[in-house]
Amino acid sequence: MAIVKMNKFTLLAFESKKEKLLEKLQAFSNVEFINLQDENFLENNKILKDLTKDQIDSNMAKCEEQLLKVKYSIKFLENYLPKQSLIKSLRQEKISLTMSELEDKVLKSNWEAIYEKIKQKDSQLTNLDNEKMRLKGSVEKLIPYEGFNASLSSLKELKRTSYFLGSVPNSCEENIINDLNDCYIEIMSKDDKETYFFALAHKENEMNVLDSLRTFGFTPFKSEEEDIPLKLIHDYNERVSLIGAEKFIIKEELAGYDEEMKVIQLAYEYYTNLILRKNISTNFLKTENVSLIQGWIPVSKNDEFTIITENILGEDYYLNFEEVKEEEIDDIPIQLKNNDLNESFEAVTGMYSLPKYNDIDPTPFVTPFYLTFFGMMVADAGYGLLMLISTLLSLKFFEFQDKTKKMVKFFMYLSFPTITFGLMYGSVFGDIIKFTGLIDTGKDFMTILVLSLAFGVIQIFFGLGIKAVLLIKMGRSLDAFFDVGSWVITLISIGGIVAGVMLNISMLKTICSFWGIAGAILIVATQGRAAKTIGGKIGKGLYDLYGITSYLGDLISYSRLMAIGLAGGSIAGAINMVIKMIPGPIGTFVLGSLLFVIFQAVNLLLSLLSGYVHTLRLTYVEYFSKFYDGGGRPFKPFEAQNKYINLKRD
C-alpha cells in the first residue's frame, strides 16, 4: 500500500535493432520514456546537445495510409453489420495475441482485398443513391406535365409553329390567356404557386409571344427527355423501386461480413500499435548508428527489462539504472500499488491529484472513511443488496476493461456499508419490511447528528495526525508540534469547553479554558515563524488563529451525513405510502409493482449520486486539506492499444 518505487534507466542500443526492441517494450508495458528532444531537457543536459534527434522513419506515411484504409473499412461496416446488444458485447471475450502473432496474422491476411471489396460496395451504394436522387428530381419536374400526352421529342419536329412549355405564377394565368388570344394554350396543371401550360404559336410570331411571356415571369421547362412525360414518370418510379431492391441486396451481403470485420479489426490493432512505435522515436537521441533511450521504470521490473534487452540486443548494449535524485522528485511519474480493496478507491485519489514521489499514498486512509460516509448517506439495506448482487453478477459474467472493472468493484465494496447502515436504521427499500434497527430514524435525529459530527471529528483529527507523522518522518518534529500539536490542543480544548457547558462541569470548563488559551497563544506565536519581522510573525499568527472558524465550518459539513441519509429513506418511505393508497388488490399488484420499481430505481440512482458526490466533497475539502497536497503526475507507460483484442507478452 504505497507509491511504487521508480528508477531511471539509460539504454544505448544499435539503431538497427531499435524497432524490434520497441515492439517488445510495448508489450512489456512498464516503461515510460523521457523526451530527450525537449528543449528544456537539452538545456539542462548540454552534453547531449551534440547528438542528433531521432526521427520517424520513412515508412510512417505508408503505415498511416494503411491505417486510414482500415478505419474507413471499420466505420463503413459498422453501419451494416447487426448491432450487438450491450449485454452480449460485455460478455464477449476478446481474443488474446502476442505482437508477433498479430503481425503474422495481419501480414498473411487478405485485409487489403477486403478493403477493395468494401470500397467497391460503397461506390455501388453511392452510385445507386445518386441515380435515385436524379430520378426523383426528374419525376418531380415531370409531374406537372403528366397530362401532356405527346412525346417531348415530337416538339422538336415542329417546323411552322413554335411551342412554349413551362409555367407562370398563378396570378398571371388569366393575363397570358387574354394576351395570347391568337395562340393555342392548354393548362396542364397547377400547384400552390405556379400554373403549368403548353402553348403553340405561328413561327413568325415566336419572339412577340416570348416577350409577352417573359413579362409574366415565364419559366420554360427544360429537359433532355424525349418520351411521353407520364411514361417517363412510370419508368423512373419503377427504376427507383428496383434501386431500393439492389441496395437491399448489397446491404444484406454487407451484413454478413462478420469474418471480414474481424480481419479488419486485427489490421487496426497492428497498424495502430506500429504507428505508436514509430512515433515514440521522437523521444530519443542518436549518433549515426546508436540510439540513446532514457525512461522511468518500477524498480521491481528492472530484471524483466534487463532480460528483454538481452534477448533482443544480445551483448551489444549498455544499460544503467539510477536511483532517484532530489532534483528529479517533481518529474517522477507516480504509480500506486494497493490491495484489491484500496485499489478500487485509487480513482478517488486520482481525481483529486496523485501524490508526489516523496509524499504518501492517501488511498488507504481514504477507503475506510469513504466506505463509512457513503454507507451512512445511502443507508438502505435493499439498495445495498441490489448493488451487491448486480456488481457480483457483472464481475462474473461480463468482460470489463481494467478501469471499468475497478469502478464495478468500487460500488461492490460500497454495498457492504450501505447494507450495514440500512440495517442499523431499519431501512429496506424505505419501510417495505418493517423492523426496528439500532437507530430509529423517525425519532433519533440527534443521535444521527451526533454520530455524523463524531465521524467528522475523527476524520479531521486523523488527517492532522497523518500530517504530524509525515513531518516527524522528515525530521521536522518541532514543526509537527507547532503546525499540528497547537491545533490539536486548541480544538480539543474548545470541544471540552462545549462539553463542560452542556454537562455543567465547572472543572472541565476551567481546565479546557486554560489549555485553549495556551493553544491559541501557541498558534499566534508559531504560525508566522517564517516571516522576517516581528509584526509579520504576529500578524500571520493571528490570521491563522482566525482560521479556527474553518474547522467549525468543516465540522458542520459532516451534518450532510445525517441529512442525505434521512432524505433518501424518507423518499423511499413516501414512495411506499403512495403505492399503498392505490385502490384494489389488482391495482396494487400491477400498478403498484410498476410504480415501486420505477420510483425506487430513481431514488436509488439519486441516492448513489448524492452519496458519491458528497463523500468526494468531504474527502477533498474537509479531509485532504489537513494533510495532502498532491501534485504528482500519473505513470504513462509505453504500451499497446487494445480496442478489439488483448495483446499479451510473448
Side-chain angles (χ1 to χ4, degrees), residues 260-277:
E260 286 83 351
M261 179 62 121
K262 291 176 183 178
V263 174
I264 293 293
Q265 287 173 344
L266 290 180
Y268 174 87
E269 298 284 9
Y270 172 70
Y271 285 108
T272 298
N273 287 295
L274 180 58
I275 288 172
L276 286 174
R277 293 198 296 272

Side-chain angles (χ1 to χ4, degrees), residues 426-442:
S427 178
V428 181
F429 296 112
D431 57 354
I432 196 72
I433 300 177
K434 294 186 180 294
F435 68 97
T436 303
L438 296 177
I439 299 174
D440 186 349
T441 56

Side-chain angles (χ1 to χ4, degrees), residues 171-185:
S171 58
C172 299
E173 179 184 351
E174 291 186 14
N175 294 334
I176 64 168
I177 293 174
N178 295 331
D179 197 58
L180 305 179
N181 52 20
D182 58 342
C183 298
Y184 170 79
I185 297 178

